[in-house]
Amino acid sequence: MSSEADVLSPQSKAHTAQKGSTNANGFTDYFDLDGLLTEEHLLIRQSIRDFVKKEISPSIEKWAQDAHFPSEIVKKFGDVGAFGPTIPQEYGGGGLDYISYGLIMQEIERGDSGMRSTASVQGSLVMFPIYAYGSEEQRKKYLPKLASGEWLGCFGLTEPDHGSNPGGMTTNIKDMGDHYLLNGAKLWISNSPECQVAVVWAKNEQGRIKGVIVERGMEGFSTPEIHNKWSLRASCTGELVFEDVKIPKENILPNVDGLKGPLSCLDSARFGIAWGAIGAAIDCYESALKYSLQREQFGQPIGGFQLQQKKLAEMITEITKAQLMAWRLGVLKNEGKATSAQISMAKRNSVDMALHVAREARQIHGGMGITGEYPIMRHMMNLESVITYEGTHDIHLLITGADITGIQAFK
């Protein structure tokens, strides 16, 4: 993506994005946060919204029902600028700010959390570490192909026995003189079955964690797919298995050492999730609001009853609070001031809020809320994964606890 125009569809170029978007008689942007966004932000958001409505929304229920990952979406994400939007243009990225990135993730997750996972893993967990910690040769070799969607990437950190404690990983590299040997396994890896490249974190012989770029086709490298998921059914999830994989020395990320590398990647991904989960909540709220005004009982729309209005009012209140937190976090991120603890709090809050909104929306829809005619159950099931990955709900709470007390409760 070489310029702002590349992320704008013909439709969005032809009109001015409108502020204070409404749905029925309510406001999804209840506090006019659009007034805090630039014209570029609004145009980028509208472009991605149009893309989601065209390329994802018409098919997402079938993809989810069929547990089908539409591999063709990868190139389309590249074309619309959803991969690595904050990466500099010289490497194929968009050169955009972090609020733009957040808005892109929000709109994709309005379509589906699994689709957003595909995009955020590519940008935050694969392209970001290669850009931030890779050599210039690595940047030029991998980033343009990842940005365009020619290649799909994945991020290998979580292991079968090490999730919330990544420092306990057993995946390892051994120096063999002119190359390294990589052994171990990673689990619950988004994009792995379809990936061409994986950024993997492994311990060297001194016990230090290093970043390793593994390419499809390297002998001993396999990516078994995980089946029978009830969540993120339209995304592909699998393992990374390494059996004496020969890694060229030029495939080691040279500019990072220790847990700082993977944890900084998680900060980037969690920032995107803080925005993305709001998108899922908005989709559930808008569906519930519309349904409440159409569905009649006892001679009037159910939206006219006090308990339904209570649900709707609380839903939009919580969405608004999360929007304000995400926007402020975006400002801090742009200024280089956002802390890991702040990002952690925002991720936890947004996902918890979105799950609550989805459950309330399901009740407003009644029995219809469990069907594929509406997006509620799909969002709810997806969010059950989002609340666990990139740091569990409980771990994020303890990160805040450690930040405010100075005492780590999970060590």
Side-chain angles (χ1 to χ4, degrees), residues 250-298:
E250 59 266 26
N251 281 40
I252 302 295
L253 296 178
N255 299 319
V256 70
D257 184 69
L259 268 176
K260 172 189 173 183
L263 293 184
S264 65
C265 298
L266 292 177
D267 273 353
S268 182
R270 289 165 179 170
F271 174 84
I273 294 169
W275 285 79
I278 295 171
I282 289 172
D283 198 46
C284 291
Y285 164 76
E286 290 184 344
S287 182
L289 177 58
K290 183 177 180 180
Y291 188 84
S292 76
L293 298 175
Q294 295 175 343
R295 173 67 169 170
E296 291 192 2
Q297 290 288 285
F298 305 105

Side-chain angles (χ1 to χ4, degrees), residues 30 150 155 158 227 235 270 318 324 341 344 349 409:
Y30 205 79
E150 179 182 347
F155 174 85
T158 300
H227 298 285
S235 72
R270 289 165 179 170
E318 294 307 311
L324 287 163
S344 182
N349 178 73

Side-chain angles (χ1 to χ4, degrees), residues 160 225 230 250 278 292 328 384 387-388 395:
E225 186 170 2
W230 285 107
E250 59 266 26
I278 295 171
S292 76
R328 179 58 185 161
E384 288 292 349
I387 204 168
T388 296
I395 286 292

